[in-house]
Structures are given as C-alpha cells and as structure tokens.
Amino acid sequence: MSKVTDVILVNEQDEPIGVMEKMEAHRKAVLHRAFSIFVFNSKGEMLLQQRAQGKYHSGGLWTNTCCSHPAPGEHTLHAATRRLNEEMGFTTLLEKIFDFVYLAEFEHGLTEHEFDHVFIGMYEGKITPDPMEVKDYCYKSLDEIEATLQSHPQKYTAWFNIAFPKVRQWAAENLLKKVV
C-alpha cells in the first residue's frame, strides 16, 4: 500500500503553492488538496465506511466510502482511484461532481484545512477493505443517513457532515439517471 507522506499545499483556487509533510500540514492547519469518494449501488444507497480506531484522527467515526490526499505530482482522479482500491479493495469509474474548502479541528491538536475534490461512483461487487483503514462498512439509503446525521452528527466525520447535503442534492438531481 502506498502511503502519502507529503501533501500538496494549495491556495483557495486549488493552485499548487508547495508541498508539506502530511502530519505537519494537519498540525499547522495549512490548506492542502484532498479528495472524498461517495460510491452508490444500483438501489441508490451510499457505501459508508467506519474509520479504523487507529486512524490519526476521527477513528471509529462513519464517513463516505473513501477519502485521502493525492501525492505531489499525482493527478487527483488517479489518486482517488488508487486509494479506493487500497482502502476498500475495489475500483470503479469515478466522476468529479464538485469541490469545497473546509476547516475542522480535531483531537491531539490536528486540523483539517482541505480543498476537497468530491467524486462519485457506482459499484455492486465484492468489497475487501484494509482493516488498518476501515473498521466496518455498509450501504445505507440517503434518508437513513440524513436521519442519523440529524440525531447523532457526532457519529460522522466533520467533512461528511459538510459534504453529505451537497452530495444528496447532486444525487436527487442526477443519480436516478445513473441508476436506470
């Protein structure tokens, strides 16, 4: 498995401005490039993962199918495809649907300040997650996820709480076309 140790620092327009060691970027709250992948099945259910307890932050929380950072010099779509296979054990065609910037503070003095590229994909096959990255996974309907987010937002990662409403809106407008 290829671990990204350096992240791409960017400005608010996602233009690269440098490189920094990943944990240093998270300690200093420096804006850097990231991606989040949301995978759906043919029923329109979203594939969620529960992050492994040992993750450097947000361990044990539920989130989207996969997320990470591209390595310096790596195209974001290529990084997303690579990381999906490393974390969840499968690949599928990914499509970028939007991006957003967020800032969230975590335990141990870490901060996520990310320019997050959001990708979607469709998948029905076998899932073989890396247990060092993923504690559990499941498909849930968007209504189930929204209800749980409203009643127990602390069970989900900070970026998922931000991205989910945008993904849900996209799904309402576009997913039916992809499912049929």
Side-chain angles (χ1 to χ4, degrees), residues 85-146:
N85 190 45
E86 291 172 354
E87 273 193 31
M88 300 301 286
F90 70 87
T91 59
T92 190
L93 184 63
L94 299 175
E95 173 187 347
K96 183 175 173 184
I97 57 171
F98 64 86
D99 50 54
F100 69 103
V101 174
Y102 77 98
L103 178 65
E105 293 182 12
F106 301 101
E107 65 272 11
H108 313 303
L110 298 178
T111 302
E112 288 278 1
H113 191 195
E114 296 188 333
F115 191 106
D116 197 0
H117 296 256
V118 177
F119 295 91
I120 59 101
M122 304 295 293
Y123 186 73
E124 294 289 331
K126 183 177 178 184
I127 301 168
T128 54
D130 177 351
M132 297 298 290
E133 300 290 336
V134 180
K135 181 178 178 180
D136 199 3
Y137 67 92
C138 64
Y139 279 101
K140 287 198 179 257
S141 74
L142 299 182
D143 288 342
E144 287 178 282
I145 295 168
E146 186 167 313

Side-chain angles (χ1 to χ4, degrees), residues 25-62:
H26 287 120
R27 281 191 298 274
K28 293 182 175 179
V30 180
L31 183 62
H32 58 280
R33 188 175 291 158
F35 58 83
S36 294
I37 303 167
F38 292 78
V39 171
F40 295 89
N41 64 17
S42 61
K43 298 176 194 170
E45 297 169 324
M46 183 183 291
L47 177 58
L48 300 176
Q49 71 151 279
Q50 185 179 25
R51 289 168 61 89
Q53 288 297 142
K55 296 292 284 184
Y56 62 99
H57 70 70
S58 306
L61 297 183
W62 286 91

